[in-house]
């Protein structure tokens, strides 16, 4: 099933952890509609300008999200978020580009190391009422720490 011109439901629900742990990762119809909005309003815009996108993590069922240590409020569980990378584009540059060119709810430059362009990934979400919130996260003492704004 296509979510948009270049993105499929399969790539948004594929999970190695889910397969390993035998966890059902089937979204609801509302979750699918949310994924379509994310694809049409953010990911297709990125793809048209920067090229193919690799979706590291898309939809996560609540059970899968718990199993991998995700937060209870994760927008991944509603089909509103994806963790992405664009081959050949530094993740910090991708985050800055999305911030400047797209409507989004939340964008997090996650686990990026300055000077290592392929480190980390970009979490981006979309919903009907968007905050345009930007954050940067880093692991510290085994826990994810968040700062407001982009700090590559």
């Amino acid at each position: 099933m296509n979510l948009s011109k270049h993105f499929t439901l399969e790539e948004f629900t594929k999970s190695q952890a889910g397969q390993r742990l035998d966890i059902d990762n089937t979204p609801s119809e509302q979750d699918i509609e949310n994924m379509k909005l994310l694809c049409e309003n953010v990911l297709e815009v990125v793809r048209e300008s920067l090229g193919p996108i690799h979706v590291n993590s898309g939809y996560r069922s609540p059970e899968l999200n718990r199993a991998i240590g995700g937060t209870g409020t994760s927008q991944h569980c509603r089909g509103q978020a994806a963790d992405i990378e664009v081959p050949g584009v530094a993740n910090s540059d991708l985050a800055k580009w999305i911030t400047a060119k797209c409507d989004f709810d939340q964008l997090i430059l996650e686990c990026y190391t300055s000077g290592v362009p392929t480190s980390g990934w970009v979490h981006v979400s979309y919903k009907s009422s968007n905050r345009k919130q930007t954050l940067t996260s880093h692991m510290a003492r085994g826990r994810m720490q968040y700062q407001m704004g982009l700090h590559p």
Side-chain angles (χ1 to χ4, degrees), residues 30-144:
Q30 182 60 58
D31 298 329
I32 292 170
E33 289 306 311
N34 291 340
M35 285 182 260
K36 288 179 180 180
L37 289 172
L38 172 64
C39 289
E40 293 165 1
N41 292 288
V42 181
L43 302 186
E44 288 291 349
V45 176
V46 173
R47 191 186 191 291
E48 289 295 319
S49 292
L50 301 180
I53 294 173
H54 178 74
V55 177
N56 298 335
S57 181
Y59 173 77
R60 297 181 202 146
S61 68
E63 183 183 1
L64 175 59
N65 193 59
R66 279 189 301 278
I68 65 166
T71 66
T73 59
S74 174
Q75 289 180 289
H76 287 278
C77 297
R78 294 187 297 281
Q80 296 173 330
D83 296 339
I84 63 170
E85 296 179 77
V86 174
V89 177
N91 287 320
S92 62
D93 292 341
L94 174 59
K96 290 174 194 172
W97 192 93
I98 293 171
T99 299
K101 305 284 186 181
C102 296
D103 189 22
F104 61 91
D105 183 51
Q106 187 179 62
L107 181 140
I108 309 171
L109 179 58
E110 296 197 77
C111 300
Y112 181 78
T113 301
S114 183
V116 185
T118 59
S119 64
W121 59 90
V122 175
H123 166 99
V124 64
S125 67
Y126 183 91
K127 61 183 188 174
S128 59
S129 176
N130 291 312
R131 299 172 283 176
K132 298 266 307 197
Q133 180 184 53
T134 59
L135 299 147
T136 301
S137 74
H138 297 94
M139 288 298 288
R141 292 179 225 104
R143 300 197 64 177
M144 195 68 82

